[in-house]
Amino acid sequence: MKALLLQEKGKWREMQVSEIAPPAPGKGEILVEVHAVGLNPVDYKTATGGHPNWTYPHILGLDVAGVVAEVGEGVTQWNQGDKVVYHGDLTQKGGYAEFAVTNAHTVSRIPEGVTFENAAALPTAGYTAYQALHGKLPLSQLNTILIHGGAGGVGGFAVQLAKLAGKKVLTTASLHNHEYVKSLRADFVIDYQQEDILAKVNSITDGRGVEAVIDTISRQSATEALDLIAFSGHIVHIAGAPDYTKIKPFTKSLSYHEVALGAAHQSGDIIAEKALAKIGDEMLSLLAEGKISSMLTEVISLDGIPNALARLSERHVKGKIAAKIK
C-alpha cells in the first residue's frame, strides 16, 4: 500500500509517500480501507518528539474514515463494506496510508449523506469538544461559557456544541477570524490580541465572570483564565493544566477538569474505549442532521500533508483540513 512515512522522530516535514506492506487485523480489530484522514496539531507535536512505542518508519494520522476491508477474529459488529470513522491510538500506526487497523469497539458508523472527508474532520477535535462539554461540565447548571480559541478545531466544535445546548457563548479569536467564529454562532467574540479579555468578560457578565472556561490554548492561557471564572465555576483544560496555586483555597471554589481524549486507548478501561464510539455516533448524527458543521475548509492529497501540518504548526489554519486518500 501507499503510505506517508515518518522515517525518524522530528522529521515530519520530510515525510514522503512510499510503498509498504499493509497491516492485518488481529483479534478484535478491523482493517479499514482509508478514504480520508483528518489532520490535527497532535500529529506534528507527537512526531516532533516521537513515542517510545513507535517503530520506524512510522505512520501518523489519528482521524480515519473509510470502508471496512477485513474483520479480525471475534469481530461481529462490523462487516466488509461498512462505512466507518474512528479516533485512533497514537501509540500505533495511523491512517496516513491506504489501509489502517484499529480496535473494532472504538469505531462509529458513517450515516448516509456524510462524506468521508467530513467524517474525518470530526474525531480528535470534535470528540474532545464533546467530552469537554458533555463529559466534564454540569452543563444543565451553566449559562455562560468562554471558549478560548474559537477559530481552531476543538474551539470551533465547542462553540457549536455549547450553542446547541442553549448556552451564552463567549470566545477568543484573532480579529480576522471574528466573522468566521460568529458564523459558528458565538454570541461574543473577543480579540485576544487587542482587547483586555478580563475587562470584556466582566462587562458582558456584569462583573461576575463566566461560569465555565474551556481552554484549548496552553498552560499559560489556562492559568490566566482563572481570573475570568465566577465563584464555584469550572475550567476544562485541554492543552495544559493551569497553575492551581494562583487561586487560594476557600476563595473561588473552582473545579478543574482535564480532557485527554486519546488516553482512553491506554487506559485499559473498556468502557472508556467504547465511549469514543458513542461520542462519534452522537457527533455524526448531529452532522448528518445539519445541527453542526464539520468546519472542513480544505481537502488535500496524501503527499500534501507535510505542508499542511507545517501551516497548522504556524497556527495559520482555521477550521479543519482532511486528506483524500481514495
Side-chain angles (χ1 to χ4, degrees):
M1 68 175 184
K2 291 180 179 179
L4 186 66
L5 300 182
L6 176 69
Q7 297 293 348
E8 58 182 283
K9 68 177 182 180
K11 297 292 186 178
W12 55 269
R13 294 175 186 269
E14 292 78 32
M15 293 188 298
Q16 294 184 348
V17 177
S18 302
E19 292 285 339
I20 191 171
K27 184 177 181 180
E29 295 179 333
I30 58 173
L31 176 69
V32 176
E33 181 183 45
V34 182
H35 283 236
V37 61
L39 277 63
N40 296 283
V42 68
D43 297 330
Y44 68 78
K45 289 178 180 179
T46 52
T48 298
H51 192 281
N53 280 21
W54 291 356
T55 57
Y56 295 92
H58 181 67
I59 302 171
L60 301 170
L62 296 178
D63 294 355
V64 179
V67 174
V68 176
E70 186 181 342
V71 298
E73 179 187 347
V75 175
T76 59
Q77 69 270 48
W78 298 109
N79 298 299
Q80 190 175 25
D82 288 342
K83 295 179 180 180
V84 296
V85 65
Y86 65 88
H87 175 270
D89 181 350
L90 67 79
T91 69
Q92 307 299 315
K93 285 182 166 55
Y96 289 173
E98 292 181 317
F99 291 91
V101 164
T102 194
N103 287 324
H105 60 269
T106 63
V107 175
S108 300
R109 188 181 305 276
I110 300 176
E112 289 299 320
V114 175
T115 67
F116 290 113
E117 292 81 9
N118 280 304
L122 291 181
T124 295
Y127 297 9
T128 296
Y130 188 95
Q131 193 174 80
L133 282 157
H134 294 282
K136 298 292 183 176
L137 295 176
L139 202 55
S140 63
Q141 302 172 31
L142 308 176
N143 293 310
T144 55
I145 300 175
L146 170 67
I147 297 160
H148 270 316
V154 177
F157 281 117
V159 168
Q160 294 183 81
L161 292 172
K163 282 306 300 177
L164 200 59
K167 308 306 171 184
K168 179 184 289 186
V169 177
L170 296 71
T171 190
T172 57
S174 300
L175 183 60
H176 67 274
N177 284 325
H178 279 210
E179 289 306 313
Y180 170 73
V181 178
K182 287 178 182 176
S183 76
L184 301 177
R185 300 181 58 211
D187 295 295
F188 301 94
V189 187
I190 303 170
D191 181 357
Y192 67 91
Q193 295 173 323
Q194 301 293 332
E195 296 184 273
D196 183 326
I197 298 176
L198 178 59
K200 191 72 174 179
V201 168
N202 283 334
S203 173
I204 294 168
T205 63
D206 296 325
R208 182 168 183 259
V210 292
E211 291 166 319
V213 169
I214 296 176
D215 184 78
T216 72
I217 306 298
S218 66
R219 183 181 300 274
Q220 179 182 343
S221 176
T223 300
E224 294 170 354
L226 299 179
D227 290 332
L228 311 175
I229 305 173
F231 180 83
S232 200
H234 303 258
I235 182 165
V236 183
H237 55 88
I238 294 159
D243 178 0
Y244 304 108
T245 64
K246 182 176 182 179
I247 303 297
K248 294 181 180 179
F250 299 98
T251 56
K252 294 185 74 170
S253 187
L254 300 185
S255 296
Y256 303 86
H257 310 273
E258 178 188 43
V259 172
L261 185 78
H265 291 291
Q266 288 84 50
S267 67
D269 186 334
I270 191 69
I271 294 176
E273 294 172 9
K274 287 183 175 180
L276 297 173
K278 290 182 179 179
I279 294 173
D281 291 341
E282 178 64 19
M283 291 291 289
L284 286 161
S285 177
L286 293 173
L287 184 61
E289 294 168 9
K291 293 182 178 179
I292 62 169
S293 164
S294 70
M295 303 188 302
L296 183 65
T297 57
E298 188 177 354
V299 177
I300 61 173
S301 61
L302 182 61
D303 60 6
I305 289 177
N307 176 266
L309 289 178
R311 287 188 285 121
L312 275 175
S313 73
E314 295 159 2
R315 304 183 70 86
H316 293 326
V317 173
K318 67 181 178 182
K320 293 292 298 178
I321 301 172
K324 183 178 175 64
I325 308 301
K326 183 178 176 60

